[in-house]
Amino acid sequence: MANLLDETSGPVNDNGRDVHVIDRQLPVTVGFGSTLFEIALWVAIPILVLLYVFLFGSTLENRALVAVVGCAGGVLPGVIFIFMKISARNYFQQLEQRIQAEASNIDNFLEQRVQILQNVVGIVERAIELDKDVMKSVAAFRSGAGVNEQNRNAVNAQVDTAFGRLFPQVEAYPELKAHNAIADAMQQNNYLQREITAARTVYNSRVTQWNTDIFSWPTKMIVAARQGYTTRIPFTASKETREAARSKFF
């Protein structure tokens, strides 16, 4: 059988292909086969035992005892599967808490970046006329809009854009660039950007773990479907960040 993906015969895209995170949550569903599997765990062995007793009962000393013991032991797979499902549900609940904790770490770093942005703008706006987009972002943050599950990516994109417009303006004024508070803020921003990158990597690893496990049949997938779980969307880079990454640095 030939290779399904043959690097020697193609097809090959000489123009390359960009990669994007698909912003869609996929629900977990199970069909009748899974239901049949669960039923079979309870009844398959007891039915076989009863069938054996019915066919060969004349050769047994105590047909009733064999039937009762066989049926009682035959439901053990179903009982065991119940405990497996309980364990899987607990696992998902714990994993969900870990995902939330990692998301909270990202939010904390974003909140610190927002605070740094506000402090720098407070110093700089007295000396120069700042970009209107920067002032709009800062005004939005000053209105009390915090970072949460719904706006995390949007806040990250706005902060990236604001810093991307602010610091080049500061660079044009040596006296501002030499300001101790601004220089310190620039260093803190660089540090927080690295921390956010690390936190995002951990968060995305947790999300990948979740997205993989909810489709692990039978136990985890059945539990995920019963609980109505869906896949989670990884933390993605903003459009501005992606475009900046393609620009020339030197």
Side-chain angles (χ1 to χ4, degrees):
M1 181 177 178
N3 293 336
L4 297 179
L5 299 176
D6 193 342
E7 66 275 11
T8 61
S9 60
V12 176
N13 184 357
D14 293 328
N15 296 323
R17 185 184 301 277
D18 204 350
V19 179
H20 294 83
V21 175
I22 306 302
D23 195 28
R24 180 188 303 167
Q25 292 179 303
L26 303 177
V28 183
T29 58
V30 291
F32 177 72
S34 294
T35 302
L36 186 62
F37 169 78
E38 291 188 84
I39 295 174
L41 291 177
W42 289 95
V43 303
I45 295 178
I47 289 176
L48 291 176
V49 170
L50 293 176
L51 183 62
Y52 176 81
V53 171
F54 176 77
L55 295 176
F56 304 101
S58 59
T59 63
L60 301 174
E61 294 183 3
N62 192 332
R63 298 172 58 183
L65 179 62
V66 172
V68 170
V69 173
C71 290
V75 299
L76 283 179
V79 174
I80 293 173
F81 194 67
I82 287 178
F83 285 99
M84 291 174 64
K85 289 193 292 184
I86 293 173
S87 177
R89 186 180 63 181
N90 293 339
Y91 166 80
F92 282 128
Q93 290 175 344
Q94 294 169 7
L95 181 57
E96 194 166 33
Q97 292 303 316
R98 296 190 188 101
I99 291 174
Q100 288 302 306
E102 300 301 341
S104 178
N105 287 337
I106 297 174
D107 292 349
N108 289 337
F109 291 131
L110 283 175
E111 291 279 7
Q112 292 180 53
R113 288 193 73 199
V114 169
Q115 187 61 53
I116 291 173
L117 176 63
Q118 292 177 345
N119 293 340
V120 172
V121 168
I123 297 172
V124 174
E125 66 180 341
R126 304 188 190 98
I128 61 176
E129 184 177 352
L130 292 175
D131 189 298
K132 291 182 179 180
D133 288 337
V134 174
M135 297 307 300
K136 287 180 181 178
S137 298
V138 174
F141 295 135
R142 284 173 177 170
S143 66
V147 183
N148 54 51
E149 185 74 23
Q150 288 70 36
N151 70 358
R152 185 179 298 120
N153 271 338
V155 170
N156 182 68
Q158 291 173 11
V159 173
D160 282 343
T161 300
F163 274 116
R165 293 178 180 273
L166 174 62
F167 282 157
Q169 291 180 271
V170 173
E171 294 277 353
Y173 294 84
E175 67 278 7
L176 285 177
K177 186 178 178 182
H179 195 293
N180 290 335
I182 295 178
D184 182 58
M186 294 174 71
Q187 291 182 350
Q188 290 183 49
N189 180 61
N190 290 334
Y191 165 77
L192 289 173
Q193 283 182 300
R194 291 193 296 270
E195 291 297 313
I196 288 175
T197 299
R200 284 169 58 176
T201 300
V202 176
Y203 175 82
N204 285 348
S205 296
R206 298 286 189 195
V207 168
T208 300
Q209 183 180 353
W210 172 277
N211 291 345
T212 301
D213 287 341
I214 62 175
F215 289 108
S216 179
W217 193 87
T219 311
K220 291 178 180 178
M221 187 171 179
I222 290 175
V223 170
R226 299 283 191 271
Q227 296 295 319
Y229 292 147
T230 67
T231 56
R232 295 174 180 270
I233 301 171
F235 200 100
T236 57
S238 65
K239 178 181 178 181
E240 291 79 6
T241 300
R242 296 172 67 89
E243 291 176 350
R246 297 187 180 93
S247 62
K248 295 181 179 180
F249 295 100
F250 305 102

